[in-house]
Amino acid sequence: MKKKKAIKIKDVTISIPIFIVLVILALLVLVPIIWMMLSAFKPEKEIISWPPTFVPQSLTVENFVDVQDRINILRYMLNSVIYAGGTTLLAVIVNSMAGYAYAFYDFKGKTGLFLMTLATMMVPFQVIMVPLFLVVFKLGMYDSYWGLIIPRVAVAGSIFMMRAAFSGIPKELAEAARIDGLSEMGIFWRIMMPQVKPAAITLIILSINGSWNDLLWPMIVTSKTQMRTLANGLALFIGQNTIEYGAAFAGALISLLPMFILYMAGQKYFVEGMASAGLKG
């Protein structure tokens, strides 16, 4: 019979405080989200009543009906899907290729160019916001999907993550594929990309999440009502002097659910991708 491992008192003493701290941190994150989800089904009077209630005393879907009546939420969701989907598709291609080039190719000025790419991470978006808008406007992409998508494709952090993922692959693998007559594009798509699947899925999740929740850039480059994204539409419920809490909570729940499903579906690869990028970078 196998001997059972003895539980050391020292290990238990260390584990219990860590467990308690993690539970507290989890509650700090989850309680506001759960409260928001429950409040989406509360009447407006109950939301603003004092003392506040955590569990709804009466359930209603009036807030969701109000959202649909006030804004064209289906159109805004479609715009967000196009914006997030188009940005993510191009971001995966561009950032992966850039990361692959930095990891596998040697060319003049490679180190300096990579450092310049990383340096852009220190520049706040607000600094380049106006010049970027002028470029989009001069190119005739104002109030268009291309104006939303193209400036948000290349991201220094994503390039760094993909370079770190590709750096963990032996270069001999690419050399063997070249000897077998595979083209460079074939090596990239058929050999290399499957090797960095966790990092690629992480890039997809981060890109979709960033574009889906983006408020500032769509507000700058679009003026037509039919071009608004979901984040822009939900901002209408929060005014300078008044806030429609019920509709705001209902809209936030609608916006949250797709991202929650996406993260749960790719959680395993997301953790692996972030870990590999941190260890190999």
Side-chain angles (χ1 to χ4, degrees), residues 70-144:
R70 291 284 306 281
I71 64 175
N72 190 354
I73 192 169
L74 295 180
R75 175 67 187 186
Y76 295 169
M77 288 185 70
L78 176 62
N79 290 339
S80 291
V81 169
I82 295 174
Y83 175 35
T87 302
T88 300
L89 177 63
L90 294 176
V92 171
I93 296 174
V94 171
N95 295 316
S96 296
M97 285 185 171
Y100 176 70
Y102 280 128
F104 274 82
Y105 292 104
D106 293 321
F107 51 89
K108 189 175 181 180
K110 170 183 172 180
T111 302
L113 188 60
F114 182 65
L115 291 176
M116 288 178 61
T117 302
L118 293 183
T120 61
M121 297 173 66
M122 297 184 291
V123 180
F125 176 71
Q126 288 77 7
V127 174
I128 62 172
M129 184 171 59
V130 174
L132 200 59
F133 166 77
L134 293 175
V135 171
V136 170
F137 184 80
K138 292 294 184 181
L139 292 176
M141 295 189 297
Y142 184 72
D143 257 337
S144 69

Side-chain angles (χ1 to χ4, degrees), residues 197-236:
K197 183 179 178 181
I201 293 178
T202 301
L203 175 58
I204 291 173
I205 293 175
L206 293 177
S207 181
I208 292 178
N209 183 69
S211 301
W212 185 268
N213 296 318
D214 191 8
L215 174 65
L216 184 58
W217 181 242
M219 190 177 292
I220 293 172
V221 295
T222 60
S223 60
K224 296 179 181 177
T225 303
Q226 60 267 29
M227 285 299 298
R228 285 177 179 160
T229 60
L230 184 58
N232 294 145
L234 297 181
L236 297 176

Side-chain angles (χ1 to χ4, degrees), residues 134-265:
L134 293 175
V135 171
V136 170
F137 184 80
K138 292 294 184 181
L139 292 176
M141 295 189 297
Y142 184 72
D143 257 337
S144 69
Y145 291 121
W146 290 119
L148 283 169
I149 293 171
I150 292 179
R152 307 295 285 174
V153 170
V155 180
S158 299
I159 294 174
F160 174 78
M161 182 179 68
M162 295 308 296
R163 173 188 173 274
F166 282 119
S167 296
I169 303 175
K171 292 187 178 181
E172 290 78 9
L173 192 62
E175 295 296 334
R178 290 190 185 96
I179 293 174
D180 291 339
L182 198 61
S183 65
E184 292 299 318
M185 291 300 296
I187 294 173
F188 176 73
W189 288 113
R190 296 172 60 183
I191 304 297
M192 296 303 168
M193 283 302 291
Q195 299 293 325
V196 294
K197 183 179 178 181
I201 293 178
T202 301
L203 175 58
I204 291 173
I205 293 175
L206 293 177
S207 181
I208 292 178
N209 183 69
S211 301
W212 185 268
N213 296 318
D214 191 8
L215 174 65
L216 184 58
W217 181 242
M219 190 177 292
I220 293 172
V221 295
T222 60
S223 60
K224 296 179 181 177
T225 303
Q226 60 267 29
M227 285 299 298
R228 285 177 179 160
T229 60
L230 184 58
N232 294 145
L234 297 181
L236 297 176
F237 294 111
I238 303 177
Q240 184 176 0
N241 300 316
T242 59
I243 299 177
E244 299 177 54
Y245 292 101
F249 285 140
L253 179 58
I254 295 172
S255 178
L256 173 67
L257 286 177
M259 295 300 99
F260 178 76
I261 295 172
L262 175 68
Y263 177 75
M264 293 303 295

Side-chain angles (χ1 to χ4, degrees), residues 1-13:
M1 293 180 65
K2 295 182 179 179
K3 293 182 179 180
K4 294 182 179 180
K5 294 183 178 179
I7 300 176
K8 297 181 179 180
I9 297 178
K10 182 180 178 181
D11 295 338
V12 174
T13 305

